[in-house]
Amino acid sequence: MKLRAVFLTCFLSLGTLAMAAEPAVGPEQIEADWLLQDELRGVPDGSAADSLTREADAAGGVDGVIDGTWGFHTEIEDDPWWQVDLGERIELGRVALYNRCDATGSRNRRIKVLLSDDGKDFRQAYQHDGTDFWGHSDGKPLEVDLAGRRARFVRLQLPGRNYFHLDEVQVYPAAGAENVALGKPATQSSLSQWSKASPAGAAGHDRVYQTDRVVARGMKLAEKLRPLGANVDDQVRELERVQARLAQLPEGALADQRQALYFQARWAVRRMALSNPLLDFDAILFTKRIPPGFPHMSDEYYGWWSRGGGGLYLLEGFKTEEPRLRSLTEGWEVGSFIRPDLSFDGTRVLFAYAKYYPEVHRIGDKVNKDNLPEDAFYQVYEMAVDGSGFRRLTHGKYDSFDPRYLPNGDIVFLSTRKGRSVQVTPCTAQATLDVPDMPDSYVRCGGDNRRPVAVFTLHRMRPDGTGLLPISAFENFEWTPFVASDGRILYARWDYIDRFNQSFMSLWSKNPDGTNPQLVYGNYTKVLDCVFEAQPVPGSQKLMFTASAHHSNLGGSIVLLDRTRGTEGEGPLRRLTPEVRFPESEGWPRHYYLNPHPLSEDFFLVAWSDAPLPRHRMLMDPKRNPIASMGVYLADSLGNLELLYRDPDISSLTPLPVRPRPRPPVIAELPQWDGPQEGRYLLQDVYRGMDGVPRGTIRSLRVVAVP
């Protein structure tokens, strides 16, 4: 219902100042969001998978929902099957099979229909001829004529080793037009990570309100807020009244009574959460953005996969009952705005923007940059926090994004402009200005010319865009830079130094001049895929980050890292959103978080998606890669999640408090780019430690690199 089409038809001139504020969020939207949270966040991903039964997943095949996705999903196995119990032995007319339409339907080309009277001995009634069939997308399900055969159980089975999934199964008697399988008991041979409980039969049943849980979390929140100076006595008394009335409710209490108590508790907790003294700011900067069309940790930062729409916004008065929304980019041409940063004094904004060209993603040869307009690439911009005085800081046919203010006033950012240079210097950077379309370098496991995967690494420039300098000669990707409290740059990188060859992105740091790269966490850790968006927690030595997926967009579970407890494994980690498993490495969550902005170890702004992470493939289908799944929230380590803003037509993300923040110290710089271009090196005796190898026998050394 919220995936309404976004029509991007008007192209406006740059430079228009921010529009007047408009209403942002109302009570009905907040209450609807609470109910949605209960459906998705009520049971942790892991425990849901542990408690899910084959019958609960199989029910999705006879729930009456035909939408082109899978209704049930087995594990990959030999001869997987699904079956329904019709309750009695009847004379069968036909079976209608609706295939999954959002992926390949070829798995079901040799599907079998088997019948049984007792659920033990099955006899084959049909096997398909090897042609594709669909259902939802073309209105033509596979119709199997059973010619009056009598049976109680109908089983569907695939020969050989495969996954098995269908959208819906309908069974019709020989006489009559009623689907006798609808809502009947079903089961299947196994469960998979994509299995889920079907809501079949939920209609007509009262909702279970988690009021006890809301009250308990609210009481714990009060204990966290009181030491900060918050007066939460009124809200605590309100929760005590709810608890007392809840205990007095008769067993058959009306749904309206139970809902009223639930909302009463929720509003008390919300008022308490918004009274947090750490919310010492009145406005939040955030972006509206449609997630990119190709979900991948690399591809989401290429302008050609962007989907136009959105901009930069201010949410003003968010702690009041009448929050207001103000656009800062109302006059910009339709494009994609990503990953802003606020200056240390809170007056200026850095961000990346790419103009939207609807046909660019279809270009078959993106390696040839003559085929691509320059403004289709992400470029770095800066403007005042009121939307005025914007200026473009990067140029050329290179994607440049994720800019961050450095303590000395310079800007660090990511860019594909390192290209094929093995040694990077100011000269190699200047070459990308002289030749705006130099060739890129690509990841070893990337795609073809239609999907080139150009490597992006850390760069630096002065506040006006001059003084361009690569600060990394790394031959693989680097992600999500943030400035640590000691002035170093925190970033993730795709490394294979002294470790296994797998898709895990560990956390590193380096000085702003590019020197002293060091591992921070996770070089040997397999518990999570990607340590993205790591940033310092105010008043703490800990870091907060997003445990993200490799084969998807940025998003996952929010984690606190304590390096005093180690630099590898799960020991140093505290899961702040334990209901979301680490995506990909532990499975695929039903919902996810991203863009945490820590206020303390327990409180943070964040974006939350009520849809699963889209998988790694070309997904322009809004059902599988939705345009409006994310909203901006206030969260805490107790599990409270309060909606601040959500647009029903487009995702809202990357929340940042509009206020000054401490400026980290400036680290002295070592490179002297204008000085002699010779260096000093340590010569090590390779024979030390090589007992039994006579001196003079080693004639050469092998140097391992990934050019």
Side-chain angles (χ1 to χ4, degrees):
M1 63 180 177
K2 67 181 180 182
L3 300 179
R4 298 197 296 267
V6 177
F7 296 96
L8 306 173
T9 56
C10 60
F11 289 83
L12 305 173
S13 61
L14 293 171
T16 306
L17 295 182
M19 68 176 186
E22 60 183 38
V25 64
E28 291 183 359
Q29 186 182 10
I30 292 171
E31 291 179 348
D33 190 81
W34 287 332
L35 297 177
L36 177 63
Q37 287 185 39
D38 280 356
E39 293 177 9
L40 294 174
R41 302 177 64 239
V43 181
D45 279 325
S47 60
D50 294 340
S51 63
L52 184 67
T53 64
R54 293 182 296 164
E55 289 72 23
D57 186 35
V62 286
D63 61 0
V65 177
I66 302 174
D67 59 7
T69 61
W70 68 90
F72 65 88
H73 202 306
T74 73
E75 186 56 87
I76 188 170
E77 59 181 330
D78 294 330
D79 306 320
W81 56 265
W82 174 97
Q83 70 184 43
V84 60
D85 179 0
L86 302 177
E88 60 179 337
R89 189 168 179 263
I90 63 175
E91 190 174 336
L92 301 174
R94 62 187 173 92
V95 173
L97 306 181
Y98 287 80
N99 207 347
R100 180 180 175 184
C101 302
D102 60 349
T104 177
S106 61
R107 287 176 177 151
N108 296 321
R109 288 174 178 169
R110 302 296 296 173
I111 193 171
K112 297 178 181 181
V113 179
L114 301 99
L115 306 175
S116 174
D117 297 329
D118 58 6
K120 298 178 182 178
D121 297 322
F122 284 87
R123 55 195 180 274
Q124 183 172 318
Y126 174 83
Q127 182 167 17
H128 195 46
D129 59 9
T131 59
D132 287 334
F133 66 93
W134 303 105
H136 175 263
S137 59
D138 59 2
K140 299 177 181 179
L142 173 62
E143 301 271 0
V144 178
D145 184 5
L146 296 178
R149 293 181 176 89
R150 297 182 66 83
R152 173 176 171 173
F153 294 87
V154 177
R155 174 177 287 190
L156 307 173
Q157 190 164 16
L158 298 186
R161 186 168 183 79
N162 217 327
Y163 293 107
F164 185 25
H165 43 67
L166 287 171
D167 184 1
E168 185 75 1
V169 180
Q170 298 173 341
V171 181
Y172 295 92
E178 179 186 2
N179 172 19
V180 294
L182 182 63
K184 293 295 175 63
T187 189
Q188 61 196 46
S189 55
S190 63
L191 293 171
S192 74
Q193 65 183 27
W194 301 282
S195 297
K196 59 184 182 297
S198 169
H205 291 271
D206 288 341
R207 172 185 288 271
V208 176
Y209 293 97
Q210 301 178 20
T211 311
D212 282 330
R213 178 182 293 183
V214 174
V215 171
R217 287 199 307 229
M219 293 300 189
K220 291 180 181 178
L221 177 60
E223 295 174 5
K224 292 281 188 182
L225 292 177
R226 280 185 170 127
L228 300 177
N231 183 354
V232 295
D233 293 345
D234 289 346
Q235 290 78 39
V236 168
R237 284 191 290 268
E238 185 83 356
L239 291 176
E240 290 172 343
R241 285 192 290 269
V242 169
Q243 201 165 29
R245 291 181 59 192
L246 194 63
Q248 297 170 359
L249 276 182
E251 185 174 343
L254 296 176
D256 288 348
Q257 293 176 293
R258 291 185 282 106
Q259 184 188 75
L261 284 178
Y262 171 81
F263 283 146
Q264 184 179 348
R266 276 287 201 171
W267 282 112
V269 173
R270 181 180 178 86
R271 288 191 291 272
M272 192 187 304
L274 292 177
S275 71
N276 191 331
L278 296 176
L279 300 174
D280 57 350
F281 47 93
D282 297 319
I284 295 172
L285 173 76
F286 71 99
T287 56
K288 292 187 183 183
R289 181 196 182 202
I290 299 177
F294 199 113
H296 193 276
M297 60 173 187
S298 306
D299 299 76
E300 68 172 311
Y301 301 113
Y302 305 137
W304 51 64
W305 297 128
S306 66
R307 296 189 285 179
L312 290 172
Y313 288 80
L314 287 180
L315 180 63
E316 301 171 327
F318 68 95
K319 292 176 286 187
T320 71
E321 294 182 358
E322 296 182 353
R324 309 286 290 180
L325 185 70
R326 185 185 304 275
S327 172
L328 304 181
T329 51
E330 182 68 13
W332 289 62
E333 294 183 90
V334 173
S336 179
F337 298 78
I338 64 172
R339 302 191 59 76
D341 187 41
L342 277 164
S343 60
F344 293 105
D345 62 4
T347 63
R348 301 198 63 78
V349 184
L350 284 170
F351 60 96
Y353 161 82
K355 183 179 174 181
Y356 177 58
Y357 290 88
E359 302 302 321
V360 163
H361 73 274
R362 296 190 179 96
I363 293 174
D365 184 8
K366 298 183 181 71
V367 173
N368 182 356
K369 293 186 176 181
D370 290 340
N371 296 329
L372 302 165
E374 182 177 325
D375 53 2
F377 292 81
Y378 280 109
Q379 305 291 346
V380 175
Y381 290 78
E382 187 190 40
M383 66 182 180
V385 77
D386 63 1
S388 64
F390 77 90
R391 57 182 178 174
R392 177 174 167 179
L393 300 179
T394 62
H395 301 270
K397 294 185 178 182
Y398 316 98
D399 281 296
S400 298
F401 56 95
D402 234 340
R404 296 289 177 262
Y405 288 100
L406 290 171
N408 71 343
D410 284 359
I411 297 165
V412 63
F413 64 102
L414 291 167
S415 182
T416 59
R417 65 194 320 125
K418 182 179 81 74
R420 300 178 180 178
S421 302
V422 177
Q423 182 182 19
V424 291
T425 66
C427 295
T428 62
Q430 181 61 43
T432 65
L433 300 177
D434 298 335
V435 182
D437 55 358
M438 292 182 69
D440 298 321
S441 62
Y442 302 99
V443 67
R444 72 185 85 169
C445 61
D448 54 15
N449 283 24
R450 184 174 180 270
R451 187 223 162 191
V453 186
V455 170
F456 39 79
T457 54
L458 290 167
H459 289 68
R460 178 175 159 178
M461 60 183 167
R462 298 191 186 104
D464 60 359
T466 62
L468 188 64
L469 176 67
I471 59 171
S472 177
F474 191 51
E475 61 276 327
N476 232 326
F477 290 93
E478 296 170 326
W479 283 272
T480 60
F482 281 88
V483 179
S485 54
D486 62 3
R488 293 178 299 157
I489 299 170
L490 296 168
Y491 64 103
R493 83 183 198 180
W494 192 345
D495 211 329
Y496 292 113
I497 293 179
D498 204 18
R499 53 159 262 192
F500 50 90
N501 182 16
Q502 280 297 334
S503 55
F504 299 96
M505 315 297 124
S506 49
L507 179 61
W508 288 69
S509 70
K510 67 169 54 179
N511 293 349
D513 61 6
T515 62
N516 197 27
Q518 295 184 24
L519 175 72
V520 176
Y521 170 79
N523 199 43
Y524 307 104
T525 296
K526 300 182 182 181
V527 68
L528 51 82
D529 272 32
C530 303
V531 183
F532 285 165
E533 301 189 292
Q535 52 198 296
V537 175
S540 170
Q541 294 300 311
K542 298 176 184 177
L543 303 173
M544 191 176 292
F545 70 87
T546 303
S548 191
H550 179 100
H551 295 100
S552 187
N553 291 334
L554 192 156
S557 190
I558 306 303
V559 182
L560 201 64
L561 170 63
D562 182 359
R563 293 184 74 247
T564 66
R565 301 180 62 186
T567 60
E568 299 290 344
E570 197 162 3
L573 306 182
R574 176 190 175 196
R575 302 193 189 209
L576 298 178
T577 55
E579 77 275 16
V580 175
R581 67 182 78 187
F582 291 162
E584 195 161 6
S585 63
E586 294 182 337
W588 290 95
R590 295 167 296 158
H591 59 96
Y592 63 94
Y593 299 86
L594 69 163
N595 310 143
H597 182 90
L599 305 173
S600 71
E601 293 183 10
D602 290 300
F603 301 100
F604 52 100
L605 301 177
V606 74
W608 178 62
S609 169
D610 58 19
L613 274 170
R615 306 297 177 82
H616 163 48
R617 61 180 55 155
M618 184 64 177
L619 297 175
M620 291 296 185
D621 182 353
K623 287 186 177 180
R624 299 183 62 207
N625 188 6
I627 65 176
S629 68
M630 303 174 207
V632 173
Y633 291 78
L634 171 64
D636 62 43
S637 61
L638 305 171
N640 297 298
L641 187 67
E642 291 297 334
L643 173 66
L644 300 179
Y645 182 80
R646 180 183 280 274
D647 189 321
D649 294 321
I650 190 171
S651 286
S652 303
L653 59 165
T654 58
L656 295 172
V658 180
R659 64 174 177 188
R661 55 193 170 105
R663 186 187 297 267
V666 177
I667 298 177
E669 300 197 7
L670 297 178
Q672 299 180 14
W673 296 109
D674 297 332
Q677 296 301 295
E678 296 83 26
R680 292 185 176 184
Y681 300 89
L682 172 66
L683 181 63
Q684 185 170 329
D685 186 347
V686 298
Y687 291 98
R688 286 177 178 258
M690 299 180 66
D691 296 339
V693 179
R695 288 186 175 274
T697 57
I698 295 177
R699 300 299 183 187
S700 60
L701 299 176
R702 180 173 62 184
V703 178
V704 180
V706 186

